[in-house]
């Protein structure tokens, strides 16, 4: 079954159904992948988003080799990928020789990186977010490389505007976000040097039922935990839509590589989102603080022009999340820390 607005379920009953939904392609994704030839290799596939992105790629292009590369410290991820028809290769991406031994796939989705706990070992954060991209860019000079980045590379912008555009110069607070600028600069440098085509995929807050901004807010509302609204505005996107746009970027690579903002097209109030969950749960959210005039927000006009609006809209995401959280369904236990304003994750 293709993913369309008409085929979206009213609720997502369990993890198996969630995975199936995240791996369901749209016709637009199928059509776009037909425009690029060759295998698709996903580096850093074992993170939160990587497995279902790989599964989505295989579902959209079943006759194509899709290869997932990671250390696979959780063997269950490998089994899950194999069940979806995705090949796997064990590789430590900090090992230059191991990277150079990987197959020279013409299509690369780079998802490796370090965020959670970044402040705990900043040298490792910089190694993963800047050194590894340099190694990968040198190993695959002839490939298309869609490199996952983050909207956190931008400075804070006024909440009454449209968000940061791709033309805005990166100038973020905190070493984590600075290391993400480093990641982009490495891909940019070697793209100029080798003529490598690519995209810098500046993603703001993918939403999966098990984690994300909505999961964080809903969980706090249900349990009565105070919600700080000082960082009071966000934008976010369903993880399946984000994965599809990342894969479709393979058709829209540029040389030299260039950034593209990916998130929801709406700027949303944390206070309003909390109140919507409160109405669904029959309890008033506990709100603290006062909204600051700036936040991390991106303008996704370019992505909307290329890909159209996301298939899953905000109201659907709220409904799914409220149902999931109210049933105490599994959580990854990884808060987005969307409310952090000093860049210390």
């Amino acid at each position: 079954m293709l993913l369309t607005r008409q085929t979206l379920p009213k609720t997502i009953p369990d993890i198996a159904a969630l995975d199936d939904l995240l791996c369901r392609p749209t016709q637009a994704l199928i059509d776009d992948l037909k425009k690029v030839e060759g295998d698709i290799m996903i580096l850093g596939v074992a993170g939160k988003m990587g497995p279902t992105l790989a599964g989505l790629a295989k579902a959209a292009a079943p006759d194509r080799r899709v290869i997932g590369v990671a250390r696979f410290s959780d063997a269950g991820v490998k089994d899950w990928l194999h069940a979806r028809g995705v090949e796997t290769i064990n590789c430590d991406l900090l090992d230059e020789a191991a990277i150079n031994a990987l197959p020279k796939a013409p299509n690369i989705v780079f998802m490796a990186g370090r965020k959670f706990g970044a402040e705990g070992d900043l040298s490792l954060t910089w190694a993963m977010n800047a050194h590894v991209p340099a190694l990968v860019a040198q190993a695959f000079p002839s490939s298309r490389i869609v490199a996952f980045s983050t909207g956190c590379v931008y400075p804070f912008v006024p909440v009454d505007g449209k968000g940061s555009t791709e033309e805005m110069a990166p100038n973020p607070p905190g070493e984590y976000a600075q290391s993400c600028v480093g990641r982009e600069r490495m891909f940019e440098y070697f793209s100029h040097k080798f003529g490598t085509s690519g995209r810098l995929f500046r993603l703001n807050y993918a939403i999966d039922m098990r984690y994300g901004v909505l999961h964080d807010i809903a969980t706090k509302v249900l349990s009565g935990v105070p919600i700080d609204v000082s960082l009071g505005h966000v934008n976010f996107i369903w993880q399946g839509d984000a994965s599809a746009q990342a894969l479709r970027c393979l058709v829209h690579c540029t040389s030299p590589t260039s950034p593209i903002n990916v998130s929801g097209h709406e700027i949303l109030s944390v206070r309003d989102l909390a109140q919507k969950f409160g109405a669904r749960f029959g309890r008033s959210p506990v709100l603290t603080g006062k909204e600051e005039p700036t936040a991390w927000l991106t303008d996704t006009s370019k992505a909307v022009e290329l890909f159209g609006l996301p298939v899953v809209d905000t109201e659907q995401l709220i409904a799914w999340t409220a149902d999931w959280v109210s049933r105490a369904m599994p959580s990854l236990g990884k808060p987005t820390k969307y409310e952090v304003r000093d860049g210390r994750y």
Side-chain angles (χ1 to χ4, degrees):
M1 182 192 302
L2 291 175
L3 183 73
T4 67
R5 288 187 176 88
Q6 290 70 40
T7 61
L8 295 177
K10 290 185 178 179
T11 60
I12 303 173
D14 51 33
I15 288 178
L18 173 60
D19 286 345
D20 286 343
L21 185 61
L22 287 167
C23 293
R24 191 184 301 173
T26 61
Q27 188 62 52
L29 173 59
I30 293 170
D31 292 344
D32 268 357
L33 286 184
K34 288 178 180 177
K35 299 173 185 175
V36 292
E37 296 182 354
D39 302 340
I40 300 170
M41 188 160 66
I42 299 147
L43 303 181
V45 74
K48 298 190 305 295
M49 195 170 166
T52 53
L53 183 144
L56 177 63
K58 188 64 178 178
D63 298 329
R64 198 89 59 92
R65 282 182 77 199
V66 178
I67 306 162
V69 177
R71 287 176 300 171
F72 293 111
S73 52
D74 178 359
V77 175
K78 210 171 184 180
D79 294 338
W80 189 97
L81 290 167
H82 290 166
R84 294 272 173 178
V86 177
E87 301 174 37
T88 59
I89 298 175
N90 283 65
C91 178
D92 181 352
L93 293 175
L94 285 166
D95 184 337
E96 183 174 3
I99 291 175
N100 290 332
L102 292 170
K104 300 302 182 187
N107 302 292
I108 304 288
V109 180
F110 180 87
M111 304 185 76
R114 178 172 158 82
K115 175 180 178 180
F116 294 104
E119 288 289 314
D121 188 343
L122 287 169
S123 62
L124 177 59
T125 297
W126 279 92
M128 285 301 303
N129 291 352
H131 176 59
V132 169
L135 297 178
V136 168
Q138 291 173 91
F140 299 97
S142 301
S143 299
R144 302 177 195 89
I145 303 178
V146 174
F148 269 65
S149 185
T150 170
C152 295
V153 299
Y154 293 116
F156 289 113
V157 293
V159 300
D160 57 359
K162 295 183 178 180
S164 303
T165 67
E166 289 86 351
E167 289 70 36
M168 180 174 284
N171 184 26
E175 282 203 51
Y176 160 69
Q178 292 165 13
S179 74
C180 293
V181 177
R183 175 198 294 137
E184 292 194 2
R185 295 304 188 212
M186 291 301 98
F187 280 117
E188 283 179 324
Y189 172 76
F190 289 106
S191 178
H192 280 281
K193 181 175 180 178
F194 298 129
T196 307
S197 64
R199 279 287 190 166
L200 304 171
F201 193 78
R202 291 176 176 169
L203 175 62
N204 252 20
Y205 298 127
I207 298 290
D208 173 336
M209 295 302 97
R210 294 162 290 194
Y211 77 94
V213 173
L214 287 181
H215 184 279
D216 293 351
I217 295 171
T219 301
K220 288 179 178 179
V221 172
L222 188 62
S223 58
V225 173
I227 297 170
D228 183 354
V229 298
S230 59
L231 200 151
H233 295 79
V234 293
N235 48 7
F236 49 73
I237 186 171
W238 169 240
Q239 181 177 301
D241 280 314
S243 295
Q245 290 190 20
L247 291 166
R248 292 179 70 187
C249 274
L250 290 167
V251 183
H252 298 285
C253 288
T254 63
S255 179
T257 191
S258 59
I260 184 166
N261 293 338
V262 176
S263 189
H265 64 290
E266 301 168 295
I267 293 175
L268 300 163
S269 159
V270 171
R271 182 183 297 271
D272 290 347
L273 292 169
Q275 289 171 343
K276 287 184 177 183
F277 283 119
R280 287 177 178 271
F281 297 148
R283 61 183 61 194
S284 297
V286 181
L287 304 176
T288 64
K290 180 181 178 182
E291 286 84 352
E292 295 284 347
T294 60
W296 257 324
L297 301 165
T298 55
D299 182 334
T300 62
S301 298
K302 286 188 178 180
V304 171
E305 184 178 340
L306 288 177
F307 308 124
L309 292 175
V311 175
V312 183
D313 63 22
T314 301
E315 290 306 315
Q316 182 66 77
L317 288 174
I318 290 171
W320 283 346
T321 302
D323 172 71
W324 187 272
V325 170
S326 68
R327 290 187 289 122
M329 295 298 287
S331 165
L332 294 183
K334 291 184 175 181
T336 57
K337 302 185 182 180
Y338 72 89
E339 69 274 24
V340 172
R341 292 187 66 88
D342 63 2
R344 295 181 179 273
Y345 291 93

